[in-house]
Amino acid sequence: MNPETLPDDGDHGADQGAWALVRASQAGDMDAFSLLFDRYYDVVFRYVLFRMGDRILAEDITQETFLRALRRISSVNYQGKDIGAWFVTIARNLIFDHVKSSRYRLETTTAEMVEISPPTGGPEQQVLDGATNDELLRCVRKLNPDQQQCIELRFLQGLSVAETARIMDRNEGAVKALQHRAVRRLAQLLPEGLR
């Protein structure tokens, strides 16, 4: 479907606003693309950070995501989804490319993940929080890819069920069911003391 002929019925206000920015960007309005960048940067960054576990690398990949999006903005068409799903898809492809490259070493740093939440105590508590975080991320990585993405979007990025459904191209009921199964599976995977 051509983005100039967006349907008015069935669109959410936020989706219409985002696609209006896409149309303006396609017409050469760089301020509109800047607004898209501001709106979706955090979603893309958190997605990449969770996957890569390295804050600096996540910033680089997120920046490259938006550079590619800017170069390809004229090719994107409305498909009934939030434009954020397109940005996340670009980021996912960049992550795959990076992982396949010889520069990527199979080590994961999770210290940056602890920085997302404020410190709750002294050094002993920080060590315990870090170990808990490491174990939780290890268990999340044992989930199937759909469950991983659902947990990441809902809990690490803090997206609503509706936002998660749009990005995953599912209905809200399916996301709720997927989240329920993922949380139940995580409870089975976590060691007794962390449940």
Side-chain angles (χ1 to χ4, degrees):
M1 176 180 282
N2 190 331
E4 285 82 28
T5 59
L6 291 176
D8 288 330
D9 59 338
D11 269 357
H12 296 80
D15 286 348
Q16 284 182 328
W19 281 100
L21 292 173
V22 169
R23 287 191 306 272
S25 298
Q26 289 172 331
D29 183 348
M30 287 301 103
D31 290 335
F33 190 82
S34 178
L35 292 172
L36 285 170
F37 176 88
D38 292 342
R39 181 181 282 189
Y40 292 102
Y41 181 88
D42 285 341
V43 170
V44 173
F45 174 75
R46 288 179 181 268
Y47 175 85
V48 176
L49 180 60
F50 176 73
R51 295 276 190 238
M52 302 307 295
D54 180 321
R55 183 172 292 279
I56 293 170
L57 182 58
E59 288 171 356
D60 289 346
I61 290 175
T62 302
Q63 292 294 332
E64 180 62 26
T65 296
F66 285 97
L67 283 173
R68 284 198 184 177
L70 179 59
R71 281 188 229 124
R72 297 176 182 165
I73 195 74
S74 63
S75 68
V76 69
N77 292 315
Y78 181 75
Q79 296 177 349
K81 294 189 243 179
D82 181 36
I83 189 66
W86 184 61
F87 292 128
V88 170
T89 299
I90 294 171
R92 183 177 49 213
N93 291 339
L94 286 168
I95 290 168
F96 288 150
D97 291 347
H98 182 77
V99 169
K100 284 191 267 182
S101 77
S102 60
R103 296 176 306 200
Y104 183 71
R105 292 174 291 148
L106 292 177
E107 65 182 43
T108 312
T109 58
T110 54
E112 287 89 1
M113 296 302 290
V114 176
E115 292 175 15
I116 291 173
S117 60
T120 56
E124 298 88 3
Q125 186 61 47
Q126 289 177 346
V127 168
L128 288 174
D129 290 347
T132 301
N133 188 46
D134 290 348
E135 185 62 25
L136 180 60
L137 290 175
R138 187 185 65 74
C139 290
V140 167
R141 287 188 179 100
K142 290 182 177 180
L143 299 174
N144 72 45
D146 284 341
Q147 290 175 337
Q148 284 182 31
Q149 185 178 22
C150 182
I151 292 293
E152 173 193 334
L153 294 171
R154 290 284 294 126
F155 300 113
L156 295 177
Q157 296 184 23
L159 298 182
S160 69
V161 171
E163 292 168 323
T164 302
R166 278 196 302 269
I167 288 173
M168 294 186 74
D169 195 23
R170 295 173 181 235
N171 67 44
E172 292 181 28
V175 167
K176 288 177 184 176
L178 182 62
Q179 175 183 319
H180 177 74
R181 287 191 305 272
V183 169
R184 196 170 55 199
R185 180 68 181 133
L186 268 178
Q188 294 169 347
L189 293 170
L190 282 170
E192 191 69 36
L194 295 180
R195 291 182 191 169

Coordinates of all heavy atoms in Angstrom, one line a residue, residues 17-70:
G17 N 0.3 9.6 13.3 CA 1.3 10.7 13.5 C 2.7 10.2 13.0 O 3.4 11.0 12.3
A18 N 3.0 9.0 13.3 CA 4.3 8.5 12.9 C 4.4 8.4 11.4 O 5.4 8.7 10.8 CB 4.6 7.1 13.6
W19 N 3.3 7.9 10.8 CA 3.3 7.7 9.3 C 3.2 9.1 8.6 O 3.7 9.2 7.5 CB 2.2 6.8 8.9 CG 2.7 5.3 9.1 CD1 2.3 4.5 10.1 CD2 3.6 4.6 8.3 NE1 3.0 3.3 10.0 CE2 3.8 3.4 8.9 CE3 4.3 4.9 7.1 CZ2 4.6 2.4 8.4 CZ3 5.2 3.9 6.6 CH2 5.3 2.7 7.2
A20 N 2.7 10.1 9.3 CA 2.7 11.4 8.7 C 4.1 11.9 8.7 O 4.6 12.6 7.7 CB 1.8 12.4 9.5
L21 N 4.9 11.6 9.7 CA 6.3 11.9 9.8 C 7.1 11.2 8.7 O 8.0 11.7 8.1 CB 6.9 11.7 11.1 CG 6.4 12.6 12.3 CD1 6.9 12.1 13.6 CD2 6.8 14.0 12.0
V22 N 6.7 9.9 8.5 CA 7.4 9.2 7.4 C 7.1 9.8 6.0 O 8.1 10.0 5.3 CB 6.9 7.7 7.4 CG1 7.4 7.0 6.2 CG2 7.4 7.0 8.7
R23 N 5.9 10.2 5.8 CA 5.6 10.8 4.5 C 6.3 12.1 4.3 O 6.9 12.4 3.3 CB 4.1 11.1 4.4 CG 3.3 9.8 4.1 CD 1.8 10.1 3.8 NE 1.2 10.9 4.7 CZ 0.5 10.5 5.8 NH1 0.5 9.2 6.1 NH2 -0.1 11.4 6.6
A24 N 6.4 12.9 5.4 CA 7.2 14.2 5.3 C 8.6 13.9 5.1 O 9.3 14.6 4.3 CB 6.9 15.0 6.6
S25 N 9.2 12.9 5.8 CA 10.6 12.5 5.5 C 10.8 12.1 4.1 O 11.9 12.4 3.5 CB 11.0 11.4 6.5 OG 10.9 11.7 7.8
Q26 N 9.9 11.3 3.5 CA 10.0 10.9 2.2 C 10.0 12.1 1.2 O 10.6 12.0 0.1 CB 8.9 9.9 1.8 CG 9.1 8.6 2.5 CD 7.9 7.6 2.3 OE1 6.8 8.1 2.2 NE2 8.2 6.3 2.4
A27 N 9.3 13.2 1.6 CA 9.3 14.4 0.8 C 10.5 15.3 1.0 O 10.6 16.3 0.5 CB 8.0 15.2 1.1
G28 N 11.5 14.8 1.9 CA 12.7 15.5 2.1 C 12.7 16.4 3.4 O 13.7 17.1 3.6
D29 N 11.7 16.3 4.2 CA 11.7 17.1 5.5 C 12.6 16.4 6.6 O 12.2 15.4 7.2 CB 10.3 17.2 6.0 CG 10.1 18.0 7.2 OD1 11.1 18.4 7.8 OD2 8.9 18.4 7.5
M30 N 13.8 16.9 6.8 CA 14.7 16.3 7.7 C 14.3 16.5 9.2 O 14.6 15.7 10.0 CB 16.1 16.9 7.5 CG 16.8 16.3 6.3 SD 16.9 14.5 6.3 CE 15.6 14.0 5.1
D31 N 13.5 17.6 9.4 CA 13.0 17.8 10.8 C 12.0 16.7 11.1 O 11.9 16.2 12.3 CB 12.2 19.1 10.9 CG 13.2 20.3 10.8 OD1 14.4 20.1 11.2 OD2 12.8 21.4 10.4
A32 N 11.2 16.2 10.2 CA 10.3 15.1 10.4 C 11.1 13.8 10.7 O 10.7 13.1 11.7 CB 9.4 14.9 9.2
F33 N 12.2 13.6 10.0 CA 13.0 12.4 10.3 C 13.6 12.5 11.7 O 13.7 11.6 12.5 CB 14.0 12.1 9.3 CG 14.7 10.8 9.5 CD1 14.1 9.6 9.0 CD2 15.9 10.6 10.2 CE1 14.7 8.4 9.2 CE2 16.5 9.4 10.4 CZ 15.8 8.3 9.9
S34 N 14.0 13.7 12.1 CA 14.6 14.0 13.4 C 13.5 13.6 14.5 O 13.9 13.1 15.5 CB 15.0 15.4 13.5 OG 15.5 15.7 14.8
L35 N 12.3 13.9 14.2 CA 11.2 13.6 15.2 C 11.0 12.1 15.3 O 10.8 11.5 16.4 CB 9.9 14.3 14.8 CG 9.9 15.8 15.0 CD1 8.6 16.4 14.4 CD2 10.1 16.2 16.4
L36 N 11.1 11.4 14.1 CA 11.1 9.9 14.2 C 12.2 9.4 15.0 O 12.1 8.4 15.8 CB 11.1 9.4 12.7 CG 9.8 9.5 11.9 CD1 10.1 9.1 10.5 CD2 8.7 8.6 12.5
F37 N 13.4 9.9 14.8 CA 14.6 9.5 15.5 C 14.4 9.7 17.0 O 14.6 8.8 17.8 CB 15.8 10.3 15.1 CG 17.1 10.1 15.8 CD1 17.9 9.1 15.4 CD2 17.4 10.8 16.9 CE1 19.1 8.8 16.1 CE2 18.6 10.6 17.6 CZ 19.4 9.6 17.2
D38 N 13.9 10.8 17.4 CA 13.6 11.1 18.8 C 12.6 10.1 19.4 O 12.7 9.7 20.5 CB 13.2 12.5 19.0 CG 14.2 13.6 18.7 OD1 15.4 13.2 18.7 OD2 13.9 14.8 18.5
R39 N 11.6 9.8 18.6 CA 10.5 9.0 19.1 C 10.9 7.5 19.3 O 10.5 6.9 20.2 CB 9.3 9.1 18.1 CG 8.1 8.2 18.6 CD 7.0 8.3 17.6 NE 6.3 9.5 17.7 CZ 5.1 9.8 17.0 NH1 4.6 8.9 16.2 NH2 4.5 10.9 17.2
Y40 N 11.8 7.0 18.4 CA 12.1 5.6 18.4 C 13.5 5.2 18.8 O 13.9 4.1 18.9 CB 11.8 5.0 17.0 CG 10.4 5.0 16.7 CD1 9.8 6.0 15.8 CD2 9.5 4.1 17.2 CE1 8.5 6.0 15.6 CE2 8.2 4.1 17.0 CZ 7.6 5.1 16.1 OH 6.3 5.1 15.9
Y41 N 14.4 6.2 19.1 CA 15.7 5.9 19.5 C 15.8 5.0 20.7 O 16.5 4.0 20.7 CB 16.5 7.2 19.8 CG 18.0 6.9 20.1 CD1 18.9 6.9 19.1 CD2 18.4 6.7 21.4 CE1 20.2 6.6 19.4 CE2 19.7 6.4 21.7 CZ 20.6 6.4 20.7 OH 21.9 6.1 21.1
D42 N 15.1 5.3 21.7 CA 15.2 4.5 23.0 C 14.7 3.1 22.7 O 15.3 2.1 23.3 CB 14.4 5.1 24.1 CG 15.0 6.4 24.7 OD1 16.3 6.5 24.5 OD2 14.3 7.2 25.3
V43 N 13.7 2.9 22.0 CA 13.2 1.5 21.7 C 14.3 0.7 21.0 O 14.6 -0.4 21.4 CB 11.9 1.6 20.8 CG1 11.5 0.2 20.3 CG2 10.7 2.2 21.6
V44 N 14.8 1.3 19.9 CA 15.9 0.6 19.2 C 17.1 0.4 20.0 O 17.7 -0.7 20.1 CB 16.2 1.4 17.9 CG1 17.4 0.8 17.2 CG2 15.0 1.5 17.0
F45 N 17.5 1.4 20.8 CA 18.7 1.3 21.6 C 18.6 0.1 22.6 O 19.5 -0.7 22.8 CB 19.1 2.6 22.3 CG 20.2 2.5 23.3 CD1 21.5 2.4 22.8 CD2 20.0 2.4 24.6 CE1 22.6 2.3 23.7 CE2 21.0 2.3 25.5 CZ 22.3 2.2 25.1
R46 N 17.5 0.1 23.3 CA 17.3 -0.9 24.4 C 17.2 -2.3 23.7 O 17.7 -3.3 24.3 CB 16.0 -0.7 25.2 CG 16.2 0.5 26.1 CD 14.9 0.7 26.9 NE 15.0 1.9 27.8 CZ 15.4 1.8 29.0 NH1 15.7 0.6 29.5 NH2 15.5 2.8 29.8
Y47 N 16.6 -2.4 22.5 CA 16.6 -3.7 21.8 C 18.0 -4.2 21.5 O 18.4 -5.3 21.8 CB 15.8 -3.5 20.5 CG 15.8 -4.7 19.6 CD1 14.9 -5.8 19.9 CD2 16.7 -4.9 18.6 CE1 14.8 -6.9 19.1 CE2 16.7 -6.0 17.8 CZ 15.7 -7.0 18.0 OH 15.7 -8.1 17.2
V48 N 18.8 -3.3 21.0 CA 20.2 -3.6 20.6 C 21.0 -3.9 21.9 O 21.8 -4.9 21.9 CB 20.9 -2.5 19.8 CG1 22.3 -2.8 19.5 CG2 20.1 -2.3 18.5
L49 N 20.9 -3.1 22.9 CA 21.6 -3.3 24.1 C 21.3 -4.6 24.8 O 22.3 -5.3 25.2 CB 21.3 -2.2 25.2 CG 22.0 -2.3 26.5 CD1 23.6 -2.2 26.3 CD2 21.6 -1.1 27.4
F50 N 20.1 -5.0 24.8 CA 19.8 -6.3 25.3 C 20.4 -7.5 24.5 O 20.9 -8.4 25.1 CB 18.2 -6.5 25.4 CG 17.9 -7.9 25.8 CD1 18.0 -8.3 27.1 CD2 17.4 -8.8 24.9 CE1 17.6 -9.5 27.6 CE2 17.0 -10.1 25.3 CZ 17.2 -10.5 26.7
R51 N 20.4 -7.3 23.2 CA 20.9 -8.4 22.3 C 22.5 -8.4 22.4 O 23.1 -9.5 22.4 CB 20.5 -8.1 20.9 CG 19.1 -8.3 20.6 CD 18.7 -9.7 20.4 NE 17.4 -9.8 19.9 CZ 16.4 -10.5 20.5 NH1 16.7 -11.1 21.6 NH2 15.2 -10.6 20.0
M52 N 23.1 -7.2 22.5 CA 24.6 -7.2 22.4 C 25.3 -7.1 23.7 O 26.4 -7.6 23.9 CB 25.0 -6.0 21.5 CG 24.4 -6.0 20.1 SD 24.7 -7.5 19.2 CE 26.5 -7.5 19.0
G53 N 24.6 -6.5 24.7 CA 25.2 -6.5 26.1 C 26.3 -5.5 26.2 O 27.1 -5.5 27.2
D54 N 26.5 -4.6 25.2 CA 27.6 -3.6 25.2 C 27.1 -2.3 24.9 O 26.6 -2.1 23.8 CB 28.7 -4.1 24.2 CG 29.9 -3.2 24.2 OD1 29.7 -1.9 24.2 OD2 31.0 -3.7 24.0
R55 N 27.1 -1.3 25.8 CA 26.5 0.0 25.6 C 27.1 0.7 24.4 O 26.3 1.3 23.6 CB 26.6 0.8 26.9 CG 25.9 2.1 26.8 CD 25.9 2.8 28.2 NE 25.1 2.2 29.1 CZ 23.8 2.3 29.2 NH1 23.2 3.0 28.4 NH2 23.1 1.7 30.1
I56 N 28.4 0.7 24.3 CA 29.0 1.5 23.2 C 28.7 0.9 21.9 O 28.3 1.6 20.9 CB 30.5 1.6 23.4 CG1 30.8 2.4 24.6 CG2 31.2 2.1 22.2 CD1 32.3 2.4 25.1
L57 N 28.7 -0.5 21.8 CA 28.3 -1.1 20.5 C 26.9 -0.9 20.2 O 26.5 -0.7 19.1 CB 28.6 -2.6 20.7 CG 28.3 -3.5 19.4 CD1 29.1 -3.0 18.2 CD2 28.6 -4.9 19.8
A58 N 26.0 -0.9 21.3 CA 24.6 -0.7 21.1 C 24.4 0.7 20.5 O 23.5 0.9 19.6 CB 23.8 -0.9 22.4
E59 N 25.1 1.7 21.0 CA 25.0 3.1 20.5 C 25.4 3.1 19.0 O 24.7 3.8 18.2 CB 25.8 4.0 21.3 CG 25.3 4.3 22.7 CD 26.2 5.1 23.6 OE1 27.4 5.4 23.2 OE2 25.8 5.4 24.7
D60 N 26.5 2.4 18.7 CA 26.9 2.4 17.3 C 25.9 1.8 16.4 O 25.6 2.3 15.3 CB 28.3 1.7 17.2 CG 29.4 2.4 17.8 OD1 29.3 3.6 18.1 OD2 30.5 1.8 18.0
I61 N 25.4 0.6 16.8 CA 24.4 -0.1 15.9 C 23.1 0.7 15.8 O 22.5 0.8 14.8 CB 24.2 -1.5 16.5 CG1 25.4 -2.3 16.2 CG2 23.0 -2.1 15.8 CD1 25.4 -3.7 16.8
T62 N 22.7 1.4 16.9 CA 21.5 2.2 16.9 C 21.7 3.4 15.9 O 20.8 3.6 15.1 CB 21.1 2.7 18.3 OG1 21.0 1.5 19.2 CG2 19.9 3.5 18.3
Q63 N 22.8 4.0 16.0 CA 23.1 5.1 15.0 C 23.1 4.6 13.6 O 22.5 5.2 12.7 CB 24.4 5.8 15.3 CG 24.5 6.5 16.6 CD 23.6 7.7 16.7 OE1 23.3 8.3 15.6 NE2 23.1 8.1 17.8
E64 N 23.7 3.5 13.4 CA 23.7 2.9 12.0 C 22.3 2.5 11.6 O 22.0 2.6 10.4 CB 24.6 1.7 12.0 CG 24.7 1.0 10.6 CD 25.3 1.9 9.5 OE1 26.1 2.8 9.8 OE2 25.0 1.7 8.3
T65 N 21.5 2.1 12.5 CA 20.1 1.7 12.2 C 19.4 3.0 11.6 O 18.7 2.9 10.5 CB 19.3 1.3 13.4 OG1 19.9 0.1 13.9 CG2 17.9 1.1 13.2
F66 N 19.5 4.1 12.2 CA 18.9 5.3 11.8 C 19.5 5.9 10.5 O 18.8 6.4 9.7 CB 18.7 6.3 12.9 CG 17.7 6.0 13.9 CD1 18.0 5.3 15.0 CD2 16.4 6.2 13.6 CE1 17.1 4.9 16.0 CE2 15.4 5.8 14.5 CZ 15.7 5.2 15.7
L67 N 20.8 5.7 10.3 CA 21.4 6.1 9.0 C 20.9 5.3 7.9 O 20.5 5.8 6.8 CB 22.9 5.9 9.1 CG 23.7 7.0 9.9 CD1 25.2 6.6 10.0 CD2 23.6 8.3 9.2
R68 N 20.7 4.0 8.1 CA 20.2 3.1 7.0 C 18.7 3.5 6.8 O 18.3 3.5 5.6 CB 20.3 1.6 7.4 CG 21.7 1.1 7.2 CD 21.7 -0.4 7.2 NE 23.1 -0.8 7.1 CZ 23.5 -2.1 7.1 NH1 22.6 -3.0 7.1 NH2 24.8 -2.4 7.0
A69 N 18.0 3.7 7.9 CA 16.6 4.1 7.7 C 16.5 5.4 6.9 O 15.6 5.5 6.0 CB 15.9 4.2 9.1
L70 N 17.3 6.3 7.2 CA 17.3 7.6 6.4 C 17.6 7.4 4.9 O 16.9 7.9 4.1 CB 18.3 8.6 7.0 CG 18.4 10.0 6.3 CD1 17.0 10.7 6.3 CD2 19.4 10.8 7.0

